[in-house]
Amino acid sequence: MEALIIARRLRVPVEGAGDETSGWGQVAARQLDAALLSVGFTCSPALLDRLARLPGEQVIDLGVRVLAAVRRLVGDHVEHNAYFVDFPRNVPDTLEFWAGLLREAMLDPVAAARVRPGILNLLDLPRYGSYQHTYADLLAAHAELVSLAEDRVTVLELGGSLRDEARDLYLSLAESEVPLAAEDLAALRALAAFCADLHADDQPERVPVRENRAVINEARLAAGRPLLVDTVTDVLRLAALCSGGDVTLTTPTRLRSFRRAERRILLAALDAVPAAKHGDVLRHREQWKRLGERLHPHEHPRFPRAAQVFDVARGVRKAASFGSRVETALAAGRTGEAVSLLEHTPGALLRRLDHLLRAGGGSAVLEAAERAAAQASGRVLLSLREHLQNRLAPVDRVFTNRHGRAWTTSDTRAPLDEEALHRTLAILDEEIGRRLPDPGELIVDPAVLDVALPLSGKAVVPGLGMLPRGSLSLVEGELLRFFVHWRQRERRTDYDLSALMLDSTYDNPAHISWTSYANDFAAYSGDLTEAPDGASEFVDVRLVGATKPIIIPQVHIYAGEPFDEAAEAFFGYMTRDAAQEGRPFEPRTVRMKSDLRGSGRIALPLVFLRGDDAWRVKWLHLYLSGRPSFNQVEGNRITASLLVRSIVERHYLSVGYLVGLLRARSSASPTGGQVTYIGLEAPADLPEGARIYTSATLHELIPA
């Protein structure tokens, strides 16, 4: 729990106030701060002062745990060796490298005997694909990193007690208006169990996201408390989660048996759902049949509506789903009837607004949309706002699922009426602005203005420096270095780090990979083909003098275990100045690091773009299906360039949009004393009681 809080919030939970400053505690605190600086972190003055007041032994114990947590966060918990010991210096020409390996193999009688006439697999050459030196040899070959003021220094803040910090993180995740990433959902599950005995006032007031609600309900079910349910599907999600299955219901789950007390709570929750919502059962009919076999609803006659749910699943009772009624009306051209149905579910109406406007709904649709806007969730309003602003100047459509798998296609939809479009945008702006709190004195870090609003967190893996898909941020430094590290679990696994480089038209490709080690401005650290103890690969790019303005790092699964089956797999990038040297991996220069995951065989984490004045990075969080094996950068160039172009050209709703609405609200009704700060990191001089939104809590900006 402590490591989770440090990683998610960059806050160190400290129990007790401590005594007066003691020499031993103060010395231990200074030692911890020095150790943290070596990996690019430091203690805030408040944290350093609190640690100095604790017994030295307690500071040492806490410091060991804190250092381990931040080293894992930045990727420094493993040894990053490189195939070429001098990398990025002395990287050989690709052809000369292979010729040298072949020459050595032919001079070795044992190796030469394995080379059959007419068949030559270069990857099987004896010295290829595994380290030819130790990590100590690598360290000896590199000078110490020259420390510069531009190196990353991330401040760790003083936290409250572990219980208080866990509660705050629990409430932030539980009450999130946006769906969480799988890792955050797992964190919420652990937090819900940890906070199960909190007073009712410390429990979430509302849980708008269905998957989050299932996680909270699991803890409530274990404690014997009533469930938070407003649809029958909420109960099915809970049953799947309790059985170790898929809470999204995408994959069918083998349901476990439930104790009698659990069955009673689940049936009571089902019984409380109005019969008008029983049509939702049809979406997961087979899973409902299996759940009926576990709950025995007819043994509980005091829950008659619960029994009706399972009758619908078996076809004994008829219940038309809401979606089917709407689709029938639209298919028959009865747009007015569809609008009348959808007005009972404002969110569904707004999600279908584009279709309704193209179906000829006219002013009636706009009037219904205006009424629906006052009742729909803030996330739906913002998602529609982003969708409609891209209809002003259509670009290719891009679709992504919860695993980051994506595809793109041309936008062939008929254009929307311009007057109706602008009227809808004005309605949305007014309603979104009305829901935002009065910020009082608003302080904004300009670096956060181009960060995309986190309207969904499912594809974004938590990590260091992570931002939502579509976010744009400045890249500082002259040298850019990508890295990937993986460790296989059971079978030989070969990941390949590569970089696709394109011109401004997304054409004329060049690449760096195991088939092309270097060009005029980039170099590859060498190919490793197995990782029983872990393996790291690097790509170095000199931004000054780079001849291609678009650089797309990629991680390919050439053979072996998928990203989510490997024992460990993560990607990141570093920036340095030309004067700095150091090891291939230096934690102080890491700007971003996160785990690789998902069923895709090719990862596209981000893209680097050269503008008129500087380089910037845009966040992708995409995965391509790829082939079952032997994936290479040459084989996915067209798909990757099309997908990246669709993300780059799409207009994402940014934090700057909300800041504009907040400033208008602040000037209209100024509130004395209240300070609101929005930025990537919080400065140290904010007044006590200020509302603070950083990259870790941007989801809290989304209005209800």
Short mmCIF file of all heavy atoms in Angstrom, two decimals, residues 550-588:
data_model
loop_
_atom_site.label_atom_id
_atom_site.label_comp_id
_atom_site.label_asym_id
_atom_site.label_seq_id
_atom_site.Cartn_x
_atom_site.Cartn_y
_atom_site.Cartn_z
N ILE A 550 9.60 13.26 -38.07
CA ILE A 550 8.66 12.39 -37.37
C ILE A 550 9.39 11.12 -36.98
O ILE A 550 9.93 10.41 -37.84
CB ILE A 550 7.44 12.06 -38.25
CG1 ILE A 550 6.71 13.33 -38.66
CG2 ILE A 550 6.49 11.10 -37.52
CD1 ILE A 550 5.63 13.11 -39.70
N ILE A 551 9.43 10.84 -35.68
CA ILE A 551 10.14 9.66 -35.17
C ILE A 551 9.18 8.86 -34.31
O ILE A 551 8.63 9.37 -33.33
CB ILE A 551 11.38 10.07 -34.35
CG1 ILE A 551 12.34 10.89 -35.22
CG2 ILE A 551 12.08 8.84 -33.79
CD1 ILE A 551 13.50 11.48 -34.45
N ILE A 552 8.96 7.60 -34.68
CA ILE A 552 7.98 6.75 -34.00
C ILE A 552 8.71 5.55 -33.38
O ILE A 552 9.03 4.59 -34.09
CB ILE A 552 6.89 6.24 -34.96
CG1 ILE A 552 6.30 7.41 -35.77
CG2 ILE A 552 5.80 5.50 -34.20
CD1 ILE A 552 5.42 6.96 -36.92
N PRO A 553 8.99 5.56 -32.08
CA PRO A 553 9.58 4.37 -31.45
C PRO A 553 8.55 3.24 -31.41
O PRO A 553 7.35 3.48 -31.25
CB PRO A 553 9.95 4.86 -30.05
CG PRO A 553 9.06 6.03 -29.80
CD PRO A 553 8.80 6.67 -31.13
N GLN A 554 9.05 2.02 -31.56
CA GLN A 554 8.18 0.85 -31.57
C GLN A 554 8.85 -0.28 -30.80
O GLN A 554 10.08 -0.38 -30.77
CB GLN A 554 7.89 0.39 -33.00
CG GLN A 554 7.34 1.47 -33.91
CD GLN A 554 7.11 0.96 -35.32
OE1 GLN A 554 7.09 -0.24 -35.58
NE2 GLN A 554 6.91 1.88 -36.26
N VAL A 555 8.03 -1.15 -30.22
CA VAL A 555 8.52 -2.37 -29.59
C VAL A 555 7.80 -3.53 -30.26
O VAL A 555 6.56 -3.62 -30.22
CB VAL A 555 8.28 -2.39 -28.08
CG1 VAL A 555 8.88 -3.68 -27.47
CG2 VAL A 555 8.91 -1.17 -27.41
N HIS A 556 8.57 -4.43 -30.87
CA HIS A 556 8.00 -5.57 -31.59
C HIS A 556 8.24 -6.86 -30.82
O HIS A 556 9.33 -7.06 -30.26
CB HIS A 556 8.63 -5.71 -32.98
CG HIS A 556 8.42 -4.54 -33.87
ND1 HIS A 556 9.22 -3.42 -33.82
CD2 HIS A 556 7.48 -4.29 -34.82
CE1 HIS A 556 8.81 -2.54 -34.72
NE2 HIS A 556 7.75 -3.03 -35.33
N ILE A 557 7.26 -7.72 -30.80
CA ILE A 557 7.45 -9.08 -30.29
C ILE A 557 7.89 -9.93 -31.48
O ILE A 557 7.08 -10.27 -32.35
CB ILE A 557 6.17 -9.64 -29.66
CG1 ILE A 557 5.73 -8.76 -28.49
CG2 ILE A 557 6.40 -11.08 -29.20
CD1 ILE A 557 4.44 -9.22 -27.83
N TYR A 558 9.17 -10.26 -31.52
CA TYR A 558 9.68 -11.09 -32.61
C TYR A 558 9.37 -12.56 -32.35
O TYR A 558 9.03 -13.30 -33.26
CB TYR A 558 11.20 -10.88 -32.76
CG TYR A 558 11.78 -11.53 -33.99
CD1 TYR A 558 11.69 -10.88 -35.23
CD2 TYR A 558 12.39 -12.77 -33.93
CE1 TYR A 558 12.22 -11.47 -36.37
CE2 TYR A 558 12.92 -13.37 -35.07
CZ TYR A 558 12.82 -12.72 -36.29
OH TYR A 558 13.33 -13.31 -37.42
N ALA A 559 9.48 -12.96 -31.09
CA ALA A 559 9.18 -14.35 -30.73
C ALA A 559 8.93 -14.43 -29.23
O ALA A 559 9.44 -13.61 -28.46
CB ALA A 559 10.34 -15.27 -31.12
N GLY A 560 8.11 -15.38 -28.84
CA GLY A 560 7.95 -15.66 -27.41
C GLY A 560 6.71 -15.06 -26.79
O GLY A 560 5.67 -14.92 -27.43
N GLU A 561 6.82 -14.67 -25.54
CA GLU A 561 5.67 -14.32 -24.70
C GLU A 561 5.12 -12.94 -25.02
O GLU A 561 5.88 -12.00 -25.24
CB GLU A 561 6.09 -14.38 -23.23
CG GLU A 561 6.55 -15.76 -22.79
CD GLU A 561 7.27 -15.76 -21.45
OE1 GLU A 561 7.72 -14.68 -21.04
OE2 GLU A 561 7.37 -16.83 -20.84
N PRO A 562 3.77 -12.79 -25.02
CA PRO A 562 3.17 -11.45 -25.16
C PRO A 562 3.57 -10.54 -24.00
O PRO A 562 4.05 -11.01 -22.97
CB PRO A 562 1.66 -11.73 -25.15
CG PRO A 562 1.52 -13.18 -25.46
CD PRO A 562 2.76 -13.85 -24.94
N PHE A 563 3.32 -9.25 -24.18
CA PHE A 563 3.72 -8.27 -23.16
C PHE A 563 3.13 -8.60 -21.78
O PHE A 563 3.81 -8.50 -20.76
CB PHE A 563 3.28 -6.87 -23.58
CG PHE A 563 3.93 -6.36 -24.82
CD1 PHE A 563 3.17 -5.88 -25.88
CD2 PHE A 563 5.32 -6.35 -24.96
CE1 PHE A 563 3.78 -5.39 -27.03
CE2 PHE A 563 5.92 -5.87 -26.09
CZ PHE A 563 5.15 -5.39 -27.15
N ASP A 564 1.84 -9.00 -21.76
CA ASP A 564 1.20 -9.22 -20.45
C ASP A 564 1.45 -10.60 -19.89
O ASP A 564 0.94 -10.93 -18.82
CB ASP A 564 -0.30 -8.93 -20.53
CG ASP A 564 -0.97 -9.66 -21.68
OD1 ASP A 564 -0.28 -10.44 -22.36
OD2 ASP A 564 -2.19 -9.46 -21.88
N GLU A 565 2.24 -11.44 -20.58
CA GLU A 565 2.61 -12.75 -20.04
C GLU A 565 4.07 -12.79 -19.59
O GLU A 565 4.45 -13.67 -18.82
CB GLU A 565 2.36 -13.85 -21.08
CG GLU A 565 0.89 -14.10 -21.36
CD GLU A 565 0.68 -15.25 -22.33
OE1 GLU A 565 1.66 -15.99 -22.61
OE2 GLU A 565 -0.45 -15.40 -22.83
N ALA A 566 4.87 -11.87 -20.08
CA ALA A 566 6.28 -11.83 -19.66
C ALA A 566 6.37 -11.48 -18.18
O ALA A 566 5.48 -10.85 -17.60
CB ALA A 566 7.05 -10.81 -20.49
N ALA A 567 7.45 -11.90 -17.54
CA ALA A 567 7.64 -11.60 -16.12
C ALA A 567 7.73 -10.09 -15.90
O ALA A 567 7.29 -9.57 -14.86
CB ALA A 567 8.89 -12.30 -15.59
N GLU A 568 8.28 -9.37 -16.88
CA GLU A 568 8.41 -7.92 -16.79
C GLU A 568 8.63 -7.36 -18.18
O GLU A 568 9.33 -7.96 -19.00
CB GLU A 568 9.57 -7.54 -15.87
CG GLU A 568 9.66 -6.07 -15.54
CD GLU A 568 10.65 -5.79 -14.42
OE1 GLU A 568 11.61 -6.57 -14.27
OE2 GLU A 568 10.46 -4.78 -13.70
N ALA A 569 8.01 -6.21 -18.47
CA ALA A 569 8.21 -5.55 -19.76
C ALA A 569 7.85 -4.09 -19.60
O ALA A 569 6.73 -3.77 -19.20
CB ALA A 569 7.36 -6.20 -20.85
N PHE A 570 8.80 -3.19 -19.90
CA PHE A 570 8.49 -1.77 -19.83
C PHE A 570 9.30 -0.99 -20.86
O PHE A 570 10.34 -1.45 -21.35
CB PHE A 570 8.70 -1.19 -18.42
CG PHE A 570 10.08 -1.34 -17.85
CD1 PHE A 570 11.08 -0.42 -18.14
CD2 PHE A 570 10.38 -2.37 -16.97
CE1 PHE A 570 12.35 -0.52 -17.60
CE2 PHE A 570 11.65 -2.49 -16.41
CZ PHE A 570 12.63 -1.57 -16.72
N PHE A 571 8.78 0.20 -21.18
CA PHE A 571 9.37 1.09 -22.18
C PHE A 571 9.50 2.48 -21.57
O PHE A 571 8.73 2.87 -20.69
CB PHE A 571 8.48 1.15 -23.42
CG PHE A 571 8.83 2.26 -24.38
CD1 PHE A 571 9.75 2.07 -25.39
CD2 PHE A 571 8.23 3.52 -24.26
CE1 PHE A 571 10.08 3.10 -26.26
CE2 PHE A 571 8.55 4.55 -25.13
CZ PHE A 571 9.48 4.33 -26.13
N GLY A 572 10.45 3.26 -22.07
CA GLY A 572 10.57 4.64 -21.63
C GLY A 572 11.52 5.41 -22.53
O GLY A 572 12.05 4.88 -23.51
N TYR A 573 11.71 6.68 -22.20
CA TYR A 573 12.70 7.45 -22.94
C TYR A 573 13.42 8.42 -22.01
O TYR A 573 12.89 8.82 -20.97
CB TYR A 573 12.09 8.19 -24.14
CG TYR A 573 11.32 9.46 -23.83
CD1 TYR A 573 11.98 10.69 -23.78
CD2 TYR A 573 9.95 9.44 -23.63
CE1 TYR A 573 11.29 11.87 -23.52
CE2 TYR A 573 9.24 10.61 -23.38
CZ TYR A 573 9.92 11.81 -23.33
OH TYR A 573 9.24 12.96 -23.07
N MET A 574 14.65 8.76 -22.40
CA MET A 574 15.51 9.69 -21.67
C MET A 574 15.87 10.85 -22.60
O MET A 574 15.83 10.70 -23.83
CB MET A 574 16.80 9.00 -21.21
CG MET A 574 16.61 7.85 -20.25
SD MET A 574 18.15 6.91 -19.97
CE MET A 574 18.02 5.67 -21.26
N THR A 575 16.23 11.98 -22.03
CA THR A 575 16.78 13.09 -22.80
C THR A 575 18.08 13.54 -22.14
O THR A 575 18.18 13.56 -20.91
CB THR A 575 15.81 14.28 -22.88
OG1 THR A 575 15.49 14.73 -21.57
CG2 THR A 575 14.54 13.89 -23.63
N ARG A 576 19.06 13.91 -22.97
CA ARG A 576 20.35 14.38 -22.47
C ARG A 576 20.86 15.50 -23.37
O ARG A 576 20.40 15.67 -24.50
CB ARG A 576 21.39 13.25 -22.44
CG ARG A 576 20.97 12.03 -21.64
CD ARG A 576 22.10 11.05 -21.53
NE ARG A 576 21.64 9.78 -20.95
CZ ARG A 576 22.43 8.78 -20.61
NH1 ARG A 576 23.74 8.88 -20.78
NH2 ARG A 576 21.94 7.67 -20.10
N ASP A 577 21.84 16.23 -22.86
CA ASP A 577 22.56 17.19 -23.67
C ASP A 577 23.82 16.52 -24.22
O ASP A 577 24.28 15.50 -23.69
CB ASP A 577 22.92 18.43 -22.86
CG ASP A 577 21.70 19.32 -22.63
OD1 ASP A 577 20.67 19.08 -23.30
OD2 ASP A 577 21.78 20.24 -21.81
N ALA A 578 24.37 17.13 -25.24
CA ALA A 578 25.53 16.53 -25.89
C ALA A 578 26.71 16.39 -24.94
O ALA A 578 27.54 15.49 -25.09
CB ALA A 578 25.92 17.35 -27.12
N ALA A 579 26.82 17.28 -23.94
CA ALA A 579 27.96 17.25 -23.01
C ALA A 579 27.88 16.08 -22.04
O ALA A 579 28.87 15.72 -21.40
CB ALA A 579 28.05 18.56 -22.24
N GLN A 580 26.71 15.49 -21.88
CA GLN A 580 26.54 14.40 -20.92
C GLN A 580 26.93 13.07 -21.56
O GLN A 580 26.67 12.83 -22.73
CB GLN A 580 25.09 14.33 -20.43
CG GLN A 580 24.68 15.52 -19.57
CD GLN A 580 23.23 15.43 -19.14
OE1 GLN A 580 22.35 15.63 -19.94
NE2 GLN A 580 23.02 15.11 -17.87
N GLU A 581 27.52 12.21 -20.73
CA GLU A 581 27.84 10.87 -21.21
C GLU A 581 27.12 9.87 -20.32
O GLU A 581 25.92 9.75 -20.38
CB GLU A 581 29.36 10.65 -21.21
CG GLU A 581 30.07 11.54 -22.23
CD GLU A 581 31.54 11.20 -22.37
OE1 GLU A 581 32.03 10.34 -21.60
OE2 GLU A 581 32.19 11.79 -23.24
N GLY A 582 27.84 9.16 -19.48
CA GLY A 582 27.19 8.24 -18.55
C GLY A 582 26.84 6.91 -19.17
O GLY A 582 27.12 6.61 -20.33
N ARG A 583 26.20 6.08 -18.35
CA ARG A 583 25.79 4.75 -18.78
C ARG A 583 24.64 4.84 -19.79
O ARG A 583 23.98 5.87 -19.89
CB ARG A 583 25.34 3.93 -17.57
CG ARG A 583 26.42 3.71 -16.52
CD ARG A 583 25.80 3.21 -15.23
NE ARG A 583 24.93 4.22 -14.62
CZ ARG A 583 24.20 4.03 -13.53
NH1 ARG A 583 24.23 2.84 -12.93
NH2 ARG A 583 23.45 4.99 -13.05
N PRO A 584 24.39 3.75 -20.52
CA PRO A 584 23.22 3.77 -21.41
C PRO A 584 21.92 4.10 -20.69
O PRO A 584 21.07 4.80 -21.23
CB PRO A 584 23.20 2.35 -21.99
CG PRO A 584 24.63 1.92 -21.95
CD PRO A 584 25.21 2.54 -20.71
N PHE A 585 21.77 3.62 -19.45
CA PHE A 585 20.58 3.95 -18.67
C PHE A 585 20.99 4.79 -17.47
O PHE A 585 21.75 4.35 -16.62
CB PHE A 585 19.87 2.68 -18.18
CG PHE A 585 18.59 2.97 -17.41
CD1 PHE A 585 17.40 3.12 -18.07
CD2 PHE A 585 18.62 3.12 -16.03
CE1 PHE A 585 16.23 3.40 -17.38
CE2 PHE A 585 17.46 3.40 -15.33
CZ PHE A 585 16.26 3.54 -16.00
N GLU A 586 20.47 6.01 -17.40
CA GLU A 586 20.71 6.90 -16.27
C GLU A 586 19.36 7.37 -15.74
O GLU A 586 18.62 8.09 -16.43
CB GLU A 586 21.55 8.11 -16.70
CG GLU A 586 23.00 7.79 -16.99
CD GLU A 586 23.83 7.55 -15.72
OE1 GLU A 586 23.26 7.63 -14.62
OE2 GLU A 586 25.03 7.29 -15.86
N PRO A 587 18.98 6.95 -14.54
CA PRO A 587 17.63 7.25 -14.04
C PRO A 587 17.31 8.74 -13.95
O PRO A 587 16.16 9.14 -14.09
CB PRO A 587 17.60 6.58 -12.67
CG PRO A 587 19.03 6.37 -12.29
CD PRO A 587 19.76 6.17 -13.58
N ARG A 588 18.33 9.58 -13.72
CA ARG A 588 18.08 11.03 -13.61
C ARG A 588 17.64 11.65 -14.92
O ARG A 588 17.09 12.76 -14.93
CB ARG A 588 19.33 11.74 -13.09
CG ARG A 588 19.59 11.55 -11.62
CD ARG A 588 20.92 12.16 -11.22
NE ARG A 588 22.04 11.39 -11.74
CZ ARG A 588 23.32 11.72 -11.60
NH1 ARG A 588 23.64 12.84 -10.96
NH2 ARG A 588 24.28 10.97 -12.08
#
